[in-house]
Every structure is written in C-alpha cells, then in structure tokens.
Amino acid sequence: MRVSKAETTMNYVVLVLFALFALLPILTILTTAVSPKIGAEPGIHLGNFVEAWEIGGFGESLLNSLIVAVIVVSCALVLSVLAGYAFGTMTFRGSTVLFYLFLLGLMIPAEATVIPLFFDLRSLGLTDTYLAIALPQIAQSVAFGTFWLRAQFRSMPESLLEAAALDGAGPVKALTRVLVPASIPALTTLTVLVFMWTWNEFLIALVMTPSGQRRTAPLGLSNFQGQYTSEIALLSAGAVIVALPMVILFLFLQRHFIRGMLEGANKS
C-alpha cells in the first residue's frame, strides 16, 4: 500500500510535535538547573549540581535507592520468570484461579495496603530497613512481571520445548537454556520498568522509614525542596541528579527495551 507525500509529511509533523511535547519539560529543567541563582551573575552555572549534591546529601539517598532497586529488580525478575514459566507453559489444577490472584496485585493500589503493611512489618521489627521498602515493591512488581512473562512464554514456539525435551533437558534446563535466552528483550523491558517504578516510589519509602534513616532519592529531593523552595536552580539541579540514574539505565538498555515493547505490542 503506497503512502502519499502529504500523509508522510503529516506523520512527521505529528511525530515532531509529540517529540517537542515530551522534550520541552526536560529541556526546561536542564536549562533551569544551570541558570544563575537569585543575585548571581548571568551565565551557565554548572556549580549548581555540586552545591545541590553537597547541601541535599544526595549521595546517601541515591545509594539507598540503588540498594533497594537492586533488591527489588533481582528478586522480582527471578520470581516473575519462575511464575511466568509455570503459568505460561504448564497446566495444573487451579492455575487460572491462582493467576487471577496474582493479577490482584495490579488492581489494588499501594495506598490501600501501605498502612496495614506498615503495622505488619513493624511487628516483625523490619521498619527502617531496606527490606521494609523492598518487600512491598517486590510483591507489586511480581504481579506485573508474572503477567508480562506469561504472555512471553506462551508465545514461544512449542517446538523449542519439544526439542529441549528430546535432548534430555528437564524443566529447569529448558527454562534457563532455551526460554530465558530467547526472551532477553522482554526481560530487559521488565528490568527497566521495575527499576523505574522502584526508583520513583515515594509513598512506601516514606511510610516504611519513619526515622528517615533509609531515605531514598525521591524523599531526599522532597526534603531538599522543603529547605530551598526559593532556589529554583538548585531544585532543578537536584531533580536532574535524582533522574540521572534512570536516564543512564534507559540509554544503556534502550535497544532491548524498545525491541521488547514492540514484541509485546505484536503479541497483543
């Protein structure tokens, strides 16, 4: 089917408009982050990042966020692969009901469960720890990860598993040596999404660490905002510092991420 020049031009115009709509806030934050503070000389002030880093104490909060993200991503990936493999390739009694039980994790918002979870974790002595922040997010991420990887494994050709069985591979070897290597784009997409959700989580980190000892990056930025509400340049620099790890991860994995998203769209 041939596409006219007018339609092609219109497509490019729409794409450019959407790109500007998405990039304009980012460019605004970056421009503001290097702008002079109140009363400072005009020019590009890269020292705003250093000053925001030192005053806001972002080193500790970024480290806390990184530790929590590593715990959540690693645990969620392993559990999601196992659950998705079971639901996607096996038939057992109660599988449908159990799968819908997993999906409840996508339907129930964190705001509805965070207070009961706090009292449960406090009774176990886990508040103000990395586990208190990570465990609720692992549960949320496994719900989506199971749904995502179930669709991925169900779309794989049955001939792959049959060939693995003929070669003497059991269920574990078929998963680790056949299905997982063939699902790298989907796993990469899941990794980026879970890391992004964990890094941006504010409510759970706020409630589960009442003393502020395990303050994550969003909490650090919130406290920084409360101290320097008039210094827009420093606030913007702090926001760039907090968002930078997510940008680096996405740029590093963008090829696999986009490929995984496109594969997911084709399957649906």
Side-chain angles (χ1 to χ4, degrees):
M1 182 177 178
R2 298 185 61 182
V3 180
S4 64
K5 292 185 178 180
E7 185 175 356
T8 302
T9 303
M10 184 58 64
N11 289 337
Y12 279 111
V13 169
V14 172
L15 290 174
V16 169
L17 290 177
F18 273 103
L20 291 176
F21 179 78
L23 293 175
L24 186 59
I26 299 175
L27 295 176
T28 302
I29 291 294
L30 290 175
T31 303
T32 308
V34 296
S35 63
K37 297 185 297 182
I38 299 176
E41 297 181 358
I44 298 177
H45 292 255
L46 297 177
N48 291 342
F49 295 101
V50 178
E51 186 174 353
W53 178 276
E54 294 176 350
I55 298 176
F58 286 108
E60 181 180 358
S61 59
L62 288 175
L63 179 61
N64 291 334
S65 286
L66 182 61
I67 294 174
V68 172
V70 169
I71 295 174
V72 173
V73 171
S74 58
C75 293
L77 275 180
V78 173
L79 296 175
S80 298
V81 166
L82 296 176
Y85 178 55
F87 288 119
T89 64
M90 303 177 185
T91 302
F92 51 92
R93 182 178 298 178
S95 60
T96 302
V97 176
L98 189 58
F99 176 68
Y100 286 125
L101 183 63
F102 268 80
L103 292 185
L104 286 178
L106 297 175
M107 304 174 189
I108 301 177
E111 292 80 3
T113 60
V114 66
I115 300 303
L117 280 174
F118 171 77
F119 287 107
D120 290 340
L121 293 174
R122 189 180 67 174
S123 65
L124 297 174
L126 292 178
T127 52
D128 286 319
T129 64
Y130 292 123
L131 286 179
I133 307 174
L135 289 176
Q137 298 184 74
I138 291 174
Q140 293 175 344
S141 301
V142 167
F144 175 79
T146 301
F147 170 77
W148 179 264
L149 293 180
R150 174 181 177 265
Q152 169 67 22
F153 292 146
R154 290 186 69 178
S155 67
M156 303 292 288
E158 294 184 4
S159 59
L160 289 177
L161 294 177
E162 294 173 356
L166 291 175
D167 290 338
V172 176
K173 286 188 177 180
L175 173 62
T176 56
R177 297 187 180 182
V178 178
L179 294 182
V180 168
S183 304
I184 292 299
L187 293 173
T188 303
T189 302
L190 182 61
T191 299
V192 174
L193 291 175
V194 173
F195 183 90
M196 180 182 65
W197 295 335
T198 304
W199 192 268
N200 289 330
E201 179 58 45
F202 180 84
L203 179 62
I204 293 177
L206 176 65
V207 174
M208 298 304 175
T209 57
S211 67
Q213 295 179 357
R214 296 292 184 263
R215 184 177 61 187
T216 57
L219 291 179
L221 183 61
S222 177
N223 292 337
F224 185 67
Q225 180 181 2
Q227 297 176 10
Y228 296 94
T229 53
S230 60
E231 291 291 354
I232 304 300
L234 292 182
L235 288 177
S236 300
V240 172
I241 291 173
V242 171
L244 190 59
M246 287 188 297
V247 175
I248 294 175
L249 180 68
F250 177 79
L251 292 177
F252 184 71
L253 300 176
Q254 63 173 328
R255 180 177 300 178
H256 295 294
F257 178 81
I258 295 173
R259 181 181 170 190
M261 293 297 291
L262 292 177
E263 287 184 359
N266 292 332
K267 289 166 192 169
S268 61

